[in-house]
Amino acid sequence: MKKISRLTHEFVEFVPSTLKDGVLYISIPYTTAVHRCCCGCGNKVVTPLSPAGWKLIFDGETVSLHPSIGNWSFTCRSHYWVNRNSISWADNKWSRGQIDVNRAADQWAREKHYSASAGVD
């Protein structure tokens, strides 16, 4: 397994069934970005784009995704950021407790966003 340090990006309508290593496929119509895990394990990483999910920044030449990519359910448990097509790796593996706290915060943010969108207080 070879870690990837840089991604290229392709804007597509439909994500191809076979993903190339080192390519971030971005579907604006389906508000998602997909790539193979940058650790080299080959797992498909899906990042839904939304106010309560990942945000994509395209500067005309490069792309960034925020927040970080934490592949906690994969065996590799890789954790990295995509910033201007470059991969920055997290220094430390997260503990189960850190992962659980992060997942709870993500769930809270999604619920808050979608209840506000539906006009529910």
Side-chain angles (χ1 to χ4, degrees):
M1 292 190 291
K2 183 180 177 193
K3 280 187 176 182
I4 294 171
S5 61
R6 192 155 180 81
L7 293 172
T8 60
H9 61 276
E10 290 184 25
F11 287 97
V12 297
E13 181 173 1
F14 302 105
V15 174
S17 57
T18 303
L19 305 177
K20 295 178 190 171
D21 287 335
V23 179
L24 178 67
Y25 299 94
I26 303 160
S27 173
I28 298 300
Y30 293 96
T31 59
T32 193
V34 179
H35 66 286
R36 289 176 58 143
C37 184
C38 291
C39 83
C41 70
N43 284 314
K44 180 179 178 181
V45 178
V46 179
T47 48
L49 306 174
S50 76
W54 280 271
K55 290 153 188 63
L56 176 80
I57 299 168
F58 174 60
D59 66 10
E61 294 181 14
T62 64
V63 295
S64 300
L65 282 174
H66 295 281
S68 62
I69 310 293
N71 295 316
W72 315 128
S73 59
F74 296 164
T75 302
C76 68
R77 292 181 55 201
S78 63
H79 184 198
Y80 50 88
W81 289 264
V82 179
N83 188 27
R84 299 183 72 200
N85 286 37
S86 292
I87 304 302
S88 298
W89 292 92
D91 291 333
N92 300 319
K93 294 265 186 193
W94 279 20
S95 69
R96 173 59 46 202
Q98 289 172 302
I99 293 167
D100 291 345
V101 166
N102 189 67
R103 284 181 170 163
D106 288 349
Q107 181 63 30
W108 178 84
R110 281 190 298 275
E111 288 173 4
K112 182 178 177 184
H113 171 74
Y114 291 114
S115 66
S117 295
V120 177
D121 289 325

